[in-house]
Amino acid sequence: MEVIVGKYAGFCPGVMNSVTKAQEAVDKYEELYCLGELIHNKTVVTELEEKGMKTVDDINEVPNNSVVIFRAHGVKESIYEDAKNRNLSVIDLTCAIVKNIHEKVSSAKSDSFIIITGDNLHPETIGTKDFAGNNSFVVSVEEDIEKAYEEFIKSNLNKIYVISQTTFSLKKFEELVSLIKNKFNEYEIEINNSICKATELRQKEVEELSKNVDCVIVVGGKNSSNTKKLYDISIKNCNLVFHIERINEVNKDDFININKIAIVAGASTPKNIIEEVKEYFEK
């Protein structure tokens, strides 16, 4: 069996920074909290929790005067003020690209209606929308554009600023932008393709790999947006695709008569897990 591992599989720079800094922090502080999952990978989060980091879903679960990590996906703007008021020491591990998006929408909201393409339930998008303010709308599918238009008319603004969740599908972003331009054609529109370059390269690579193999193994968290996108791309081009978090989810009987296999992985998947999967299939 020929095994091909995607060139762009695994940690992106933002995730690498977050994990490295979190590991340093958990060794330094006796009591450490993380607001939300640091990254969308259970293995990484569990390892940090076993060392003492406590993951919480609400800032109010963090005791006053404690140390708290803000995860890679970022948090709402209001959370920063909450942390300050409660004298929390913040280790802000928000991805640099996400922080840049927060700055962009904060600046644009004074005179523009902001449309965010992405999953409205994703923590990154929730945070970005909070920074964008009331005159903003999350567009996930074509049907959302009409609702966005209605909210735009209510805002009495004349400009539209379009930005994206960093891990959104590039193809979907381009499709939605085309529809948005058509719907808002009477108004000034600024488009910012803020999809992470690593995400874009990974998606393009998987598009090609999945067309030329018998099977694709997508390795990464089941709750990882960018990993799910890789699965969605693969399943369109290849008949046999598996999304796994660890190698113990694999059944060897599924791979009889498979000659060529591609292993790809999301931005939150550690290198050692990718190697584990690679070694299994090489043997």
Side-chain angles (χ1 to χ4, degrees), residues 103-115 132-133 135-136 152 155-162 187-190:
E103 291 170 6
K104 294 285 187 184
V105 297
S106 295
S107 176
K109 68 182 179 183
S110 60
D111 64 353
S112 299
F113 184 84
I114 298 169
I115 294 178
N135 292 321
S136 62
F152 166 69
S155 74
N156 292 316
L157 295 167
N158 294 307
K159 292 170 62 178
I160 298 95
Y161 184 76
V162 182
Y187 303 95
E188 181 182 344
I189 304 176
E190 182 178 349

Side-chain angles (χ1 to χ4, degrees), residues 115-170:
I115 294 178
I116 305 159
T117 62
D119 176 2
N120 63 357
L121 298 178
H122 192 279
E124 180 194 322
T125 306
I126 291 170
T128 298
K129 188 168 189 320
D130 192 66
F131 274 89
N134 293 328
N135 292 321
S136 62
F137 200 88
V138 178
V139 170
S140 303
V141 293
E142 181 179 347
E143 290 73 23
D144 293 331
I145 295 174
E146 184 62 41
K147 299 173 190 174
Y149 185 80
E150 292 171 5
E151 293 300 314
F152 166 69
I153 296 300
K154 291 178 188 177
S155 74
N156 292 316
L157 295 167
N158 294 307
K159 292 170 62 178
I160 298 95
Y161 184 76
V162 182
I163 201 161
S164 182
Q165 176 184 323
T166 58
T167 56
F168 200 52
S169 162
L170 176 62

Side-chain angles (χ1 to χ4, degrees), residues 35 51 102 141 172 215 237 256:
L35 184 56
K51 290 183 178 180
H102 291 171
V141 293
K172 191 66 177 176
C215 174
N237 301 315
I256 296 169

Side-chain angles (χ1 to χ4, degrees), residues 18 109 177 185 208 229:
S18 294
K109 68 182 179 183
V177 164
N185 61 359
E208 290 306 308
K229 299 292 186 306

